[in-house]
Amino acid sequence: MTDVKFRKMRFDIDATVPFQWNPDNPRSGVMANAISMVVVGFERYLVLATKEALKLKLDPEVREEAEIFIAQEAQHSAAHRKHVNSMIAQYPGLSDTFDAIIRSFDDLFAANSLEFHLAYMSAIEAAFPPLFTFLIEQRDNMYSGDTRVASMFLWHYVEEIEHRSSAGIIYDGVVGDRWYQLATLRPALSHLFELGRIVNDGFSAAVPPEDLGVDPSQPVMLDEIVSRTPLLRRFARRKPPTLFHGVPTREVMKLVVGLIKSQNPYHRAGDYTPIPWFHTWLDSYEAGEDMAHYYGAPPRVLASQSA
């Protein structure tokens, strides 16, 4: 079992947050906006699946894990919904994009079994510790923009690492077949890539190019990883992306290895050791610091830089 806590967090994200909230790394800014769009539907999907699992006869410890897991995930969804609302307030056309994402998850939920949903959940959540550890370690590059958005994302990443075992514990308590989970990875990734296409098309249609700052049609994280991986480099686009500009290739390779290991049927996310900054964030929260503005640049500083 994991030591997971519910923290009541509030973020003052509203229409004053610019769409391109991270001008020093605009690709990261657009990627984070896309993540918010998808996260609301994804977290809602996880909550629905876990609530269905809670209707079953579960081991008391599994039930306890499931209850704190959905409490955290529901709060993540609510925080990212504020971010989505801020984008829609500025660009109403994004409402259609968001609705399409929610419908996609609703259709997925209606068309598949509880076993599938829990396998999807466990497989994707297993990839989060290495992915979010990488993003936290590269925070100076990836999250140096508006503190309201940057702080929300880093809080979310810390809590995802904190409950790193939860989805696997729930899956094992209901299904337990890790090879079935591995078989589910392909349709899960296919669904996520389709969501990426929906978001990219929506951003391109609703947000003016000057506000985007980049071409949203590029799957920037995938391109960056491909361009840095020796065996895959020949498949990279001619114009390399700049999402990970300044990040050593060895750090990208650590991410690749971590993602691969996370899908091993014998992998247990609870064995993952969080990085020191994870504990720094938790200690800062316990000390009563303002975690809603914990990292990034104050809006007035960003405004003066762009003036």
Side-chain angles (χ1 to χ4, degrees):
M1 305 300 290
T2 50
D3 183 16
V4 180
K5 296 181 180 179
F6 178 79
R7 303 171 183 85
K8 191 173 182 179
M9 300 288 292
R10 295 291 182 268
F11 296 91
D12 56 339
I13 296 176
D14 53 32
T16 64
V17 174
F19 183 88
Q20 187 45 268
W21 60 273
N22 194 15
D24 287 344
N25 189 340
R27 291 191 182 279
S28 176
V30 171
M31 183 185 74
N33 294 347
I35 290 173
S36 276
M37 282 276 182
V38 173
V39 156
V40 178
F42 178 64
E43 305 283 22
R44 177 172 172 270
Y45 171 73
L46 301 191
V47 170
L48 287 172
T50 305
K51 285 184 175 179
E52 286 298 308
L54 284 169
K55 295 177 182 179
L56 305 175
K57 185 177 181 180
L58 300 175
D59 181 274
E61 289 188 342
V62 175
R63 180 172 296 277
E64 181 183 355
E65 190 79 24
E67 288 172 348
I68 190 65
F69 174 68
I70 61 175
Q72 277 197 346
E73 296 292 36
Q75 188 172 217
H76 297 166
S77 179
H80 284 278
R81 182 61 196 262
K82 292 185 70 174
H83 189 202
V84 170
N85 288 345
S86 78
M87 290 186 273
I88 292 175
Q90 298 171 72
Y91 309 101
L94 290 177
S95 180
D96 292 338
T97 302
F98 180 67
D99 289 345
I101 292 169
I102 298 300
R103 281 197 306 273
S104 179
F105 276 109
D106 285 347
D107 291 345
L108 184 74
F109 192 81
N112 293 281
S113 65
L114 176 60
E115 289 78 11
F116 175 88
H117 303 321
L118 297 180
Y120 182 123
M121 177 176 83
S122 184
I124 300 304
E125 288 274 324
F128 285 166
L131 174 60
F132 292 156
T133 291
F134 173 84
L135 294 177
I136 288 172
E137 289 183 322
Q138 306 307 324
R139 60 193 178 277
D140 287 348
N141 178 45
M142 307 287 289
Y143 295 96
S144 60
D146 194 309
T147 184
R148 294 169 290 181
V149 180
S151 297
M152 179 189 70
F153 271 91
L154 291 171
W155 154 71
H156 188 172
Y157 296 163
V158 165
E159 290 201 339
E160 288 292 338
I161 294 172
E162 182 182 43
H163 71 228
R164 56 194 177 278
S165 295
S166 297
I169 288 170
I170 298 165
Y171 178 79
D172 289 341
V174 176
V175 185
D177 184 352
R178 288 300 182 99
W179 291 99
Y180 173 71
Q181 177 179 311
L182 181 61
T184 305
L185 181 61
R186 183 174 179 179
L189 291 177
S190 178
H191 180 244
L192 290 176
F193 281 126
E194 173 60 18
L195 293 174
R197 183 195 63 77
I198 292 171
V199 174
N200 289 334
D201 290 348
F203 283 1
S204 297
V207 184
E210 60 271 21
D211 293 345
L212 280 168
V214 297
D215 177 5
S217 65
Q218 279 194 310
V220 291
M221 183 174 289
L222 180 61
D223 277 356
E224 189 79 39
I225 290 173
V226 168
S227 69
R228 297 290 193 94
T229 305
L231 294 177
L232 301 177
R233 194 171 294 150
R234 58 179 176 163
F235 300 107
R237 298 175 186 235
R238 289 185 176 181
K239 184 179 180 181
T242 58
L243 178 66
F244 299 159
H245 177 71
V247 179
T249 295
R250 66 178 179 276
E251 296 302 317
V252 180
M253 290 302 96
K254 280 172 57 178
L255 169 61
V256 171
V257 171
L259 292 174
I260 293 171
K261 285 183 176 180
S262 74
Q263 300 308 310
N264 185 326
Y266 300 104
H267 173 77
R268 292 294 179 269
D271 296 336
Y272 186 86
T273 302
I275 57 175
W277 198 85
F278 168 87
H279 299 287
T280 298
W281 191 98
L282 294 179
D283 291 344
S284 298
Y285 173 85
E286 293 297 332
E289 294 191 35
D290 179 9
M291 306 311 291
H293 306 89
Y294 186 65
Y295 198 82
R300 62 181 181 275
V301 172
L302 292 174
S304 66
Q305 290 175 345
S306 60

